[in-house]
Amino acid sequence: MKIEVWSDFVCPFCYIGKRRLEHAMEKFAHRDKVTVEYKSYQLDPTAKHIPGKDYYETFSELKGIPLEQVKVMNQQVAEQATTVGLTYHFDTAKYANTFDAHRVAKFAETKGKGKEITERFLHAYFTESKLMSDHQTLVELAGEVGLNKEDVKHVLDANLHAKNVREDINEARQIGVQGVPFFVFNEKYAVSGAQPEEVFSEVLEKVWEEEAKKPVLQSLNPNKQGTSYCTDDGCEIKE
């Protein structure tokens, strides 16, 4: 089974949804037959870090939402994160553009480190308040998961893997993704949002069961008499 996950590194529900899927997979009997691929998505392609303004202020101005309402809303999200063992620090988070981080993630995939870099980047943003648009930060984080820092620096400086990121984003548009996280199972079944763990468990079982079913053919022969056929023992001609 293949699961494709569209997400963004600054999407709070993407990290929560990721954990819930992982918890469901831990209980899934066929988890060793499942591969997960993370796809790029940007909630705000025009986002940029504004020094001197904290996350709440930036979000409030961009979305036109009162500051206190932003704080309450994000506190509720942070409380949800704790239910899956995650710690969010919105008070020190740094609003940033994630395009370059996605490029590094695409490079990490070529080195077999796609899942590792996704986890590291999400933790860095929500728990450690790292600036995810800063190149040196991205290089250091990539080095922590085993990537060569000089290679990562070259990826960033040469604008490599930008095409791969845009392809993921364009694919998301084509299949109707309007928000993330967005999960696609075996290119046939879609789950939108950070659904409860039970939902992911049900989907895993349903997809596995349906994909494992052998097609049953129904005979259209009008009758068995007068049928010529061959078996392992030879061929018979019926009159």
Side-chain angles (χ1 to χ4, degrees):
M1 185 190 305
K2 180 181 179 181
I3 305 175
E4 295 168 291
V5 185
W6 273 266
S7 64
D8 197 3
F9 300 120
V10 296
C11 165
F13 283 112
C14 289
Y15 204 4
I16 294 172
K18 178 179 184 292
R19 259 316 170 268
R20 289 176 177 169
L21 173 63
E22 289 169 347
H23 289 169
M25 286 179 59
E26 288 172 2
K27 302 173 185 176
F28 185 52
H30 310 288
R31 58 185 174 275
D32 59 329
K33 300 290 195 306
V34 179
T35 59
V36 180
E37 178 184 348
Y38 290 95
K39 313 277 269 187
S40 302
Y41 192 91
Q42 281 194 287
L43 288 174
D44 184 1
T46 65
K48 62 179 181 178
H49 177 61
I50 304 175
K53 286 190 177 182
D54 64 21
Y55 176 88
Y56 296 130
E57 292 172 325
T58 304
F59 194 90
S60 174
E61 291 180 8
L62 286 173
K63 305 300 180 182
I65 303 174
L67 185 61
E68 287 306 313
Q69 185 178 337
V70 169
K71 291 182 178 180
V72 171
M73 179 178 65
N74 282 285
Q75 179 58 37
Q76 292 172 343
V77 174
E79 289 172 0
Q80 282 199 44
T82 63
T83 66
V84 289
L86 300 175
T87 302
Y88 284 6
H89 293 300
F90 287 111
D91 54 332
T92 54
K94 298 178 177 64
Y95 201 86
N97 193 292
T98 57
F99 191 81
D100 288 342
H102 282 297
R103 291 199 294 115
V104 173
K106 284 300 175 188
F107 169 69
E109 284 181 15
T110 68
K111 302 297 181 181
K113 295 287 185 177
K115 289 189 290 186
E116 290 84 352
I117 202 71
T118 296
E119 175 66 26
R120 187 66 189 94
F121 280 179
L122 286 165
H123 183 80
Y125 180 75
F126 287 105
T127 305
E128 300 174 345
S129 301
K130 300 288 188 181
L131 179 56
M132 299 307 294
S133 57
D134 179 70
H135 283 195
Q136 187 56 40
T137 297
L138 297 176
V139 169
E140 292 299 325
L141 293 173
E144 290 180 18
V145 302
L147 295 173
N148 183 283
K149 292 183 180 181
E150 289 302 316
D151 289 345
V152 176
K153 189 175 184 302
H154 175 65
V155 167
L156 290 167
D157 293 343
N159 199 35
L160 301 180
H161 297 286
K163 179 182 178 182
N164 304 101
V165 173
R166 293 191 182 98
E167 286 175 346
D168 279 358
I169 294 172
N170 288 335
E171 184 179 358
R173 293 195 189 101
Q174 291 169 7
I175 64 176
V177 177
Q178 296 182 334
V180 287
F182 192 86
F183 307 81
V184 175
F185 295 74
N186 279 0
E187 299 182 343
K188 292 172 60 178
Y189 310 89
V191 173
S192 179
Q195 297 293 332
E197 179 184 326
E198 298 76 31
V199 172
F200 285 117
S201 292
E202 291 174 5
V203 173
L204 286 167
E205 296 292 345
K206 175 182 175 61
V207 174
W208 182 265
E209 182 179 331
E210 291 192 3
E211 293 296 298
K213 284 180 180 178
K214 294 182 179 179
V216 178
L217 298 179
Q218 189 174 8
S219 175
L220 295 179
N221 286 3
N223 56 64
K224 292 186 178 180
Q225 296 182 347
T227 300
S228 301
Y229 57 90
C230 294
T231 68
D232 291 343
D233 296 322
C235 298
E236 292 191 32
I237 300 178
K238 300 289 186 178
E239 297 291 338

